[in-house]
Each structure stands twice: as C-alpha cells, then as structure tokens.
C-alpha cells in the first residue's frame, strides 16, 4: 500500500510494546508446543510409577488430544467474545494449574484428568496467542518478522521438547516434565497482563452459537478419537468405524447449522476464502507427514541405533536449526517480496526431499550422511512454508473473527497430527508384519531372528515415510494451486477486512486503519 494509506486519518498507531508482547506470546506458544512432545518422553517412567496398564497408557496422550482438538473452535470463539488478552491469561493460568496437577498425580485417573484439563485450557490459549499476534502486528514487514519468530517456535518447539523431556526424565524426574510448564506460564501471564494491549473494537459480542459449539466439539472429538482408536484397534474395528460415521454426520450437521444461524461459531467466510482454505488444507497435510516422521525417527534412533532419550533429542537439533533459518531468514526476508505460494510450495517440496532421504534409512545408516541432511532439509522446508502459512491464515479476517480463524490453524494441525500418527503407524505396522512373515523362516538362530525384527521395523518406517513424501508433494500442489495471494505490500496488513473488502495487492480483503 502507499504511504498515503499508512498515514491516513484515523489510522491507529502501532503499539509501542508490540515487540515485548511478542516475547510473551511466543513463550506461551513454546510451552504448548513443548508439552506435545515432552510428555511422550516421560510416559514410560510415569506409567511405571503410577501403575498405568499398557492398555490405558494411551489415555495420557489421548485425553489431551481429545480435549484440545475438540474444543479449539470453541476456544477461538471465546477469545473473540472475552477479548484475546483475557483468554490468553486465563488459558495460561489454567494450563499451569493443570500441569501442577499432572506433576503431582498419584494415580492414572488423576493423570488422565490433568491431561484433559491441559487440553481444555490449551484450546483457549493457542488460538488466543495466534489471534493476538494477528491483531498486534499490522505492518506487512513487521508482521513478516513476528510470524517468522512464531513459525520457528511452532515448528521447532516439538523437537526442543524431546531434548528437554529427555534431560528432565534422565537427570531429575518425569514429574518435572509437567512442573516445567509452571514458570513458563507465570512469566508469560505476568508479561501479557502488563505489556499486551489489545486493539479496541475487535471483540465479537454476538450471542454464543450453542448448537454450533455442541456439534463441532462432539464432531471433532469423534474424529480425533476415531484416528486414535484406529492406531491401537485397527481400521476395521466396529467402534472405530462408528466414530468416523458419527464424526461425518456431526460435522455435516455443523456445516448446515453454520450456514443458517445468525451468529455462527465458525463463519463460513473464514474458511471459504481460497487462500485461507488453501493454508488450512496444506498445513494439515504437512503435519500428517511430520508427526509420523517424528515418531518413526525417535524409535529408529532409540531402538535401532541405541540412542538414549537425551541423545535422540539432541539428534533433532539440526531440524530446529533448519526451521529457524527457513522461518526467520528465508521466509521473513522473502514474504514481502514474493507471493506466499512461492514460499509454501517450494518449502513443502524441500521438506519432501528431506523425507526422501529418510526413506533410504537402513539399520546401518550413518547419522551424518543420511539423518543429518534429511533433518536439515525437512526443517528448512517446513520453516520456509510455515511462516507465510501462519500469517496468511489470519490475514484479511475481521478482528471479530481473528480468534476462530486462529483456531482453524490449530484445528488443522491437531487433526493432521491425529491422522498422521494413526495412518502412518498403520502402514508401518502392516509393512513390518509382512516383512517378518517373508523373512523370519530363513533366520535359524536367535541373533538372526533379532536382526530380521530390526530390519522389519526399519522397513516398516521407510514404507510409511514414502507415503509422507507423497503427502508433502500433495501439500505443495495444494499451496501452489489454491493460494493466489500476491506479493504483500509494505503498508499495514490490517486485520480489519470486510466481507467484500478493499482488494489490496495481497489479494485479500483488507482496509487500512
């Protein structure tokens, strides 16, 4: 936009504390992302201490996933209704208290309840954080830098969680993987309370869409639980099939209700915009590929290569470095110069090249020659793609829709993670079983049989990773085909879009403050 647009009468001055606010928003996001992986490292120790059976241990992860995934849209709408700052602080406080409960758990039931509460408050916190970022940074260049930092944290925080989880579990106690959230939350909440200033006039005070809340929550819970159950009980299990059918019915009903009610929970204008729709779909596909790879590579390093949890966590550091570089250097520098699709599409293809290298893994593969370059490519590609995706997902929405638009980003990632874990695990398990059946008969001695088991495991991983390569190529195709936003200008990328809007050079309805 022109300088005239930037200095137009009535334009709101940028918040002087916006960069300080970014620190606390990013800290909260780091806490949520860390928690997604840090608990996985601690799970074996927690299971033993609390006497959780093998059949029930999945609920440590599932209880969180169901609450978080099911309530995200509701959390985003509450943030729009209450105000993002208030929702942010309440979410942080609740998450800290739930973490304290988890760290102090004396039984499996107490642990499951704590994890569900973490999911509830995480569903409020995550969309509030992203929407605060969207309404705080409105200048295109500043927005690029802010979302670059946020994207790096969102992408690399999971790997950092593996390192921190390994350290805390090995040298302290598994309970510290929960307690560590408390100082993060206290600092972020205090900083937010005193520093963050939410722009006025951005709340959506319309009455809450109760039917929409009911249908979306139950639909998403059924969908996430369906994929979780498919992983453990198989795709042909009657309850698994019933959950998927229920999810489809509820979400179709939700779509129908949202098109009829006066004040919908998820206004269709948020997702029917081709750019935002393209972001949600491509991001969901990319996360499907990523989640499976995290899991497979963790098992490969620890079971096949014999790495300790801490060493395997450090092994992921090159991916974190790649994500930071892709997000803060490549994405941030190019976002205001080239269309978003020319960052997202090539970014996903670079990540697919990293996945291609992972598909070459064998028992004797070298970390330096195979795993390291694959991690670098995966991180570089994802960081480059995630950064414009995060920004475009909330670009041009009306301030009163910022919370629910942000929730859709998290929803696509959460559902993508559930699909990726279940789908790729099923593919890997099937390939492993087939390999053992074909080769175990020729293994006469016990050492040979153990070797076949390891070879089968790696074969299963690489078979699933080939699917990840294809999924990332599909994500690139979606980004290049659906997303048509042009090169962002250097003026305010205001969130005050109208439904018809004023088309700026971004190609998204926006008007200047």
């Amino acid at each position: 936009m022109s300088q005239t647009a930037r200095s137009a009468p009535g334009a709101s001055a940028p918040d002087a504390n916006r960069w300080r606010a970014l620190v606390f928003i990013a800290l909260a996001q780091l806490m949520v992302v860390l928690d997604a992986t840090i608990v996985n490292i601690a799970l074996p120790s927690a299971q033993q201490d609390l006497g959780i059976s093998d059949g029930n241990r999945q609920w440590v992860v599932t209880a969180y996933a169901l609450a978080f995934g099911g309530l995200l849209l509701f959390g985003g709408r509450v943030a729009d209704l209450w105000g993002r700052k208030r929702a942010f602080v309440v979410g942080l406080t609740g998450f800290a208290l739930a973490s304290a409960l988890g760290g102090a758990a004396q039984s499996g039931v107490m642990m499951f309840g704590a994890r569900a509460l973490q999911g509830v408050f995480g569903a409020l916190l995550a969309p509030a954080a992203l929407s605060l970022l969207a309404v705080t940074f409105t200048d295109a260049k500043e927005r690029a830098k802010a979302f670059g930092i946020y994207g790096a944290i969102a992408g690399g925080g999971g790997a950092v969680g593996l390192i921190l989880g390994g350290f805390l579990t090995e040298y302290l106690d598994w309970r510290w993987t929960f307690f560590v959230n408390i100082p993060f939350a206290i600092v972020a909440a205090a900083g937010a309370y005193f520093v963050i200033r939410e722009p006025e006039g951005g709340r959506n005070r319309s009455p809450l869409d109760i039917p929409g809340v009911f249908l979306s929550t139950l639909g998403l819970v059924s969908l996430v639980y369906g994929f979780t159950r498919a992983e453990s009980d198989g795709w042909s299990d009657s309850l698994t099939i019933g959950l998927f059918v229920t999810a489809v019915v509820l979400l179709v009903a939700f779509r129908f209700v949202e098109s009829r009610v006066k004040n919908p929970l998820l206004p269709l204008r948020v997702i029917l915009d081709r750019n935002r729709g393209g972001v949600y779909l491509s991001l969901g596909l990319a996360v499907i590929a990523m989640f499976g790879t995290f899991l497979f590579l963790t098992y490969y390093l620890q079971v096949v290569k014999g790495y300790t949890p801490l060493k395997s966590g450090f092994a992921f550091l090159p991916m974190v470095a790649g994500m930071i570089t892709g997000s803060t250097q490549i994405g941030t520098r190019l976002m205001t110069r080239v269309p978003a699709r020319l960052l997202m599409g090539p970014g996903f293809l670079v990540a697919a090249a990293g996945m291609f290298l992972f598909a070459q893994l064998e028992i004797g593969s070298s970390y330096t020659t195979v795993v390291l370059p694959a991690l670098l490519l995966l991180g570089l590609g994802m960081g480059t793609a995630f950064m414009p995706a995060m920004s475009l997902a909330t670009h041009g929405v009306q301030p009163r829709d910022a919370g629910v638009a942000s929730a859709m980003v998290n929803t696509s990632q959460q559902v993508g993670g559930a699909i990726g874990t279940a789908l790729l695990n099923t593919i890997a398990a099937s390939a492993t079983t087939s390999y053992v059946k074909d080769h175990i008969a020729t293994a006469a001695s016990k050492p040979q049989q153990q070797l076949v088991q390891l070879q089968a495991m790696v074969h299963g991983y690489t078979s699933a990773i080939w699917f990840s390569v294809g999924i990332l190529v599909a994500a690139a195709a979606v980004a290049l085909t659906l997303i048509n936003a042009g090169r962002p200008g250097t003026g305010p990328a205001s969130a005050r879009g109208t439904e018809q809007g004023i088309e700026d050079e971004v190609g998204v309805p926006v008007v200047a403050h």
Side-chain angles (χ1 to χ4, degrees):
M1 283 188 180
S2 66
Q3 181 65 33
T4 305
R6 288 199 298 272
S7 58
S12 57
D15 182 5
N17 289 323
R18 61 194 180 281
W19 293 108
R20 294 180 191 173
L22 174 62
V23 172
F24 301 114
I25 294 170
L27 188 62
Q29 174 65 12
L30 178 61
M31 182 188 71
V32 172
V33 176
L34 281 176
D35 191 75
T37 52
I38 197 172
V39 173
N40 289 336
I41 295 292
L43 182 54
S45 300
Q47 179 186 356
Q48 184 176 1
D49 276 5
L50 300 178
I52 301 172
S53 68
D54 287 346
N56 286 332
R57 68 182 175 187
Q58 64 161 325
W59 285 101
V60 176
V61 176
T62 304
Y64 177 85
L66 292 181
F68 187 73
L71 292 170
L72 270 168
L73 286 177
F74 180 52
R77 178 65 179 85
V78 169
D80 288 335
L81 179 65
W82 285 0
R84 288 111 203 161
K85 177 177 175 177
R86 181 182 298 175
F88 184 75
V89 173
V90 171
L92 281 167
T93 304
F95 199 92
L97 291 173
S99 298
L101 184 65
Q106 300 299 312
S107 67
V109 173
M110 189 174 175
M111 170 63 75
F112 304 151
R115 290 290 285 160
L117 279 175
Q118 280 186 309
V120 169
F121 287 104
L124 180 63
L125 174 60
L130 184 56
S131 57
L132 272 174
L133 205 63
V135 299
T136 299
F137 291 91
T138 55
D139 179 82
K141 287 187 176 180
E142 289 192 348
R143 185 180 176 91
K145 292 177 183 177
F147 275 91
I149 295 169
Y150 187 89
I153 290 171
V160 175
L162 295 172
I163 300 171
L164 188 58
F167 176 83
L168 293 173
T169 303
E170 276 191 43
Y171 295 107
L172 292 175
D173 187 83
W174 66 265
R175 296 181 184 276
W176 283 98
T177 61
F178 286 89
F179 292 145
V180 74
N181 289 331
I182 299 172
F184 276 100
I186 291 173
V187 172
Y193 183 81
F194 290 108
V195 171
I196 292 178
R197 180 176 65 84
E198 188 177 352
E200 295 181 6
R203 292 192 191 181
N204 185 346
R205 300 182 186 275
S206 304
L208 197 59
D209 171 20
I210 300 299
V213 170
F214 178 79
L215 291 170
S216 67
T217 300
L218 290 183
L220 288 171
V221 165
S222 297
L223 185 63
V224 173
Y225 187 38
F227 281 110
T228 302
R229 188 173 175 85
E231 180 189 355
S232 58
D233 294 81
W235 295 89
S236 60
D237 176 72
S238 58
L239 181 55
T240 300
I241 295 171
L243 286 165
F244 284 135
V245 171
T246 301
V248 170
V249 170
L250 289 170
L251 292 176
V252 168
F254 173 67
R255 165 68 174 82
F256 177 79
V257 168
E258 297 306 276
S259 66
R260 296 293 188 274
V261 298
K262 183 179 179 181
N263 299 299
L265 173 70
L266 176 61
L268 296 182
R269 60 181 174 269
V270 171
I271 56 174
L272 293 183
D273 175 89
R274 67 179 291 168
N275 290 294
R276 286 193 291 273
V279 166
Y280 299 146
L281 180 56
S282 61
L283 211 53
L285 287 170
V287 171
I288 289 174
M290 271 192 70
F291 263 62
T293 304
F294 268 157
L295 187 67
F296 298 145
L297 188 56
T298 300
Y299 274 94
Y300 174 80
L301 293 173
Q302 293 190 30
V303 178
V304 179
K305 306 298 284 186
Y307 285 23
T308 65
L310 183 59
K311 186 178 179 181
S312 63
F314 274 107
F316 277 93
L317 277 180
M319 187 182 72
V320 178
M323 281 188 168
I324 292 173
T325 302
S327 186
T328 63
Q329 299 304 310
I330 299 174
T332 298
R333 293 176 186 276
L334 295 181
M335 185 179 161
T336 56
R337 301 178 183 179
V338 300
R341 67 180 180 277
L342 297 185
L343 289 174
M344 292 179 63
F348 288 137
L349 290 176
V350 170
M355 285 291 186
F356 176 81
L357 283 181
F358 277 133
Q360 315 308 311
L361 280 175
E362 298 176 351
I363 288 180
S365 294
S366 164
Y367 175 85
T368 307
T369 58
V370 180
V371 179
L372 177 61
L375 284 171
L376 284 171
L377 286 172
L378 182 62
L380 196 66
M382 286 297 195
T384 302
F386 270 41
M387 185 265 163
M390 291 287 186
S391 178
L392 195 58
T394 55
H395 191 102
V397 297
Q398 303 173 51
R400 63 194 179 98
D401 293 334
V404 76
S406 302
M408 275 302 301
V409 178
N410 290 283
T411 300
S412 66
Q413 291 177 312
Q414 185 67 22
V415 173
I419 295 172
T421 303
L423 178 63
L424 296 178
N425 259 351
T426 302
I427 294 169
S430 177
T432 299
T433 301
S434 297
Y435 188 95
V436 169
K437 185 183 293 185
D438 293 341
H439 294 82
I440 198 69
T442 61
S445 64
K446 189 172 182 179
Q448 286 178 317
Q449 291 177 353
Q450 291 174 337
L451 178 62
V452 168
Q453 293 285 355
L454 288 177
Q455 289 172 335
M457 188 183 298
V458 175
H459 174 72
Y461 296 160
T462 55
S463 298
I465 288 170
W466 275 113
F467 278 84
S468 294
V469 174
I471 291 168
L472 282 171
V473 171
V478 168
L480 291 169
T481 304
L482 285 185
I483 297 172
N484 65 354
R487 180 180 65 84
T490 56
S494 171
R496 293 189 181 276
T498 62
E499 291 185 35
Q500 293 77 32
I502 298 175
E503 296 290 332
D504 73 344
E505 57 266 55
V506 186
V508 184
V510 297
V511 296
H513 279 210

